[in-house]
Amino acid sequence: MALHTDAAPVSSLSVHRGRVLTFTADPGAHGSPDSYEYFEDGLLIIADGRIAEVGPAGALLAKLPRDQPITNHGKRLLLPGFIDTHIHYPQTDVIASGGEQLLDWLERYTFPEERKFANAAHAAEVAEFFLDELLRNGTTTAMVFCTVHRASVEAFFKSAARRDLRMVAGKVLMDRNSPDYLRDTASGGNRDTRELIERWHGQLRLSYAITPRFAPTSTDIQLESAGRIAREYPSVYIHSHLAENQAEIEWVKELYPTARSYLDVYDRQGLVRERAIYAHCIYLDDEDRARMGQSGAAAAFCPSSNLYLGSGLFSISAADQAGMRFSIATDVGGGSSFSMLRTMSDAYKVCQLNRDPVSSLRAFYLSTLGGARCLGLEHRIGRFTPGAEADFIVLDLEATPLLARRTASSSTLQEKLLVLMTLGDDRAIESTYILGKLTHKRVAPREAMPDNRS
Ligand SMILES: [Zn+2]
């Protein structure tokens, strides 16, 4: 995109100055220096909600008119917005409900909570809170589970549309092994999914995901119908869970005795393809991983959830060896934080237990461009490249006294990023921009204090 054309008046530009980081490739286990562009004093130039240019301030300032306003972020870090590839908005209010592993946790906390989403007003209220919380945490795109109720999907998409967010979401399909009040039928789920695709998929920045909860709660007939829809609408996403917990896997074996593996239950219905995201993927064998890699389906690595529910440890080295794509995701409410920084910190710890090194560069890649690649959206989001949508965040590396102190004593970019993901959380997200517009600004504690002098 050209900076100066007769058709684009200077007033449509917005210019941000600060430290600028954007990835161009997967840094791999050791953080390849060829995988990113970093400008210690950089400029991000936005025209009409899209990235126009990015580079060193020294070179780019000379190209701008002298009276061009510039937002100077000083030593703050400008980064493409985080992409959370697996999260449940109706589980916002079950976060931090503990004491159970997956199957009991669903029965005890999640299903009763999801029942409330038959009510459109409740769904709308939670959707608003949820999206506020994502933006407060610097997450600008997410792959989102709704509930079995159409009202939950309508509420979510309406709220995301009003904010002009790039979001992927879908109605849960669940026609067995679940409470009466949350069960659909294969034909009802099929009809609702088709109608919701026609209504929402491709509207503004919204995309639809065919969303069977997981193999145990769908009949083979429902999965077959989901596969048929997936073939008819190749640009629609598929979103489900896979190989999260040992008891779950035993249950799948009983329910689908002829399937080669849990993955095969989905695969034989045509549900393993590009634009399919499977959360967890902890207990896959090499054949499953190779099949994931070859098909273009991707895994959402949910370290906080996997620790919180005691599910197990995802192996990034096994995924790498098989050529399987993956990104990092929170899985709220099994996950215990909306913050991708905190989730990256948990990813680091899971990788330590597996003796799998994960560099800080790679953790940030997996939470930005890596997520966009899993969604097939790398030409639109996750990277500062001309023409990309200007969803970005400003990170404060001095947000807390400890973060400021430890940042000051770190020298390389890798080190600073490791400090940020280890010590940072929502307090480090100073601001969030959607299509170049400021949509969240952190209120510093001292600004929030009443001014007693007046
Ligand atoms: Zn989940």
Side-chain angles (χ1 to χ4, degrees), residues 86-88 91 102 105-106 145 213 239-241 244 279-280 302 305 309 330-335:
H86 179 68
I87 186 166
H88 301 249
Q91 294 179 15
L102 176 67
W105 184 85
L106 287 171
F145 257 67
R213 171 167 232 117
H239 191 192
S240 193
H241 297 92
E244 175 177 5
H280 310 301
C302 306
S305 169
L309 295 177
T330 62
D331 191 27
V332 163

Side-chain angles (χ1 to χ4, degrees), residues 179-373:
D180 294 349
Y181 57 78
L182 279 186
R183 210 177 300 149
D184 62 5
T185 60
S187 61
N190 174 56
R191 183 199 59 229
D192 285 350
T193 297
R194 287 172 184 277
E195 287 177 11
L196 287 164
I197 289 170
E198 292 295 335
R199 180 158 155 72
W200 289 107
H201 184 64
Q203 295 300 313
L204 301 169
R205 304 175 76 203
L206 306 173
S207 297
Y208 194 82
I210 301 162
T211 310
R213 171 167 232 117
F214 65 157
T217 49
S218 283
T219 58
D220 227 359
I221 295 167
Q222 182 163 62
L223 292 180
E224 189 185 348
S225 155
R228 216 174 303 121
I229 301 172
R231 276 189 295 281
E232 281 176 44
Y233 295 93
S235 67
V236 160
Y237 291 88
I238 296 160
H239 191 192
S240 193
H241 297 92
L242 171 63
E244 175 177 5
N245 167 290
Q246 299 280 17
E248 169 210 16
I249 289 166
E250 290 307 312
W251 195 17
V252 171
K253 274 186 197 154
E254 284 168 30
L255 292 168
Y256 294 93
T258 62
R260 192 201 72 79
S261 67
Y262 191 162
L263 178 71
D264 188 46
V265 173
Y266 298 125
D267 200 11
R268 59 192 191 172
Q269 302 297 0
L271 293 166
V272 178
R273 62 145 163 82
E274 294 266 348
R275 294 188 163 229
I277 301 271
Y278 286 97
H280 310 301
C281 299
I282 298 170
Y283 303 102
L284 300 183
D285 62 20
D286 288 345
E287 192 173 334
D288 286 336
R289 289 192 185 94
R291 172 66 190 135
M292 290 275 290
Q294 170 220 1
S295 68
F301 170 25
C302 306
S304 305
S305 169
N306 298 158
L307 294 169
Y308 195 80
L309 295 177
S311 300
L313 308 175
F314 176 84
S315 168
I316 64 169
S317 58
D320 281 341
Q321 276 161 26
M324 180 173 125
R325 283 193 285 181
F326 61 97
S327 54
I328 293 180
T330 62
D331 191 27
V332 163
S336 46
S337 174
F338 278 80
S339 168
M340 288 297 284
L341 292 170
R342 285 185 59 179
T343 307
M344 281 185 244
S345 174
D346 282 343
Y348 179 90
K349 294 166 194 165
V350 165
C351 291
Q352 281 287 68
L353 284 169
N354 271 339
R355 304 288 182 267
D356 277 347
V358 64
S359 65
S360 59
L361 282 167
R362 194 173 200 200
F364 276 84
Y365 162 83
L366 290 170
S367 305
T368 54
L369 181 59
R373 284 184 168 168

Side-chain angles (χ1 to χ4, degrees), residues 106-134:
L106 287 171
E107 289 281 344
R108 182 161 171 194
Y109 302 113
T110 300
F111 290 158
E113 186 63 30
E114 291 195 359
R115 182 179 201 172
K116 299 175 187 167
F117 288 73
N119 179 318
H122 177 77
E125 190 274 328
V126 178
E128 286 291 304
F129 179 88
F130 173 87
L131 290 172
D132 284 345
E133 196 63 16
L134 285 188

Side-chain angles (χ1 to χ4, degrees), residues 134-203:
L134 285 188
L135 296 171
R136 235 170 50 71
N137 281 280
T139 299
T140 51
T141 288
M143 180 91 164
V144 181
F145 257 67
C146 301
T147 66
V148 75
H149 313 99
R150 280 184 65 138
S152 73
V153 186
E154 294 286 346
F156 180 79
F157 276 140
K158 280 180 190 162
S159 189
R162 263 197 307 277
R163 299 160 185 252
D164 217 354
L165 299 175
R166 184 163 285 290
M167 289 284 158
V168 185
K171 181 202 110 75
V172 166
L173 297 169
M174 186 152 67
D175 68 344
R176 67 165 164 173
N177 294 327
S178 43
D180 294 349
Y181 57 78
L182 279 186
R183 210 177 300 149
D184 62 5
T185 60
S187 61
N190 174 56
R191 183 199 59 229
D192 285 350
T193 297
R194 287 172 184 277
E195 287 177 11
L196 287 164
I197 289 170
E198 292 295 335
R199 180 158 155 72
W200 289 107
H201 184 64
Q203 295 300 313

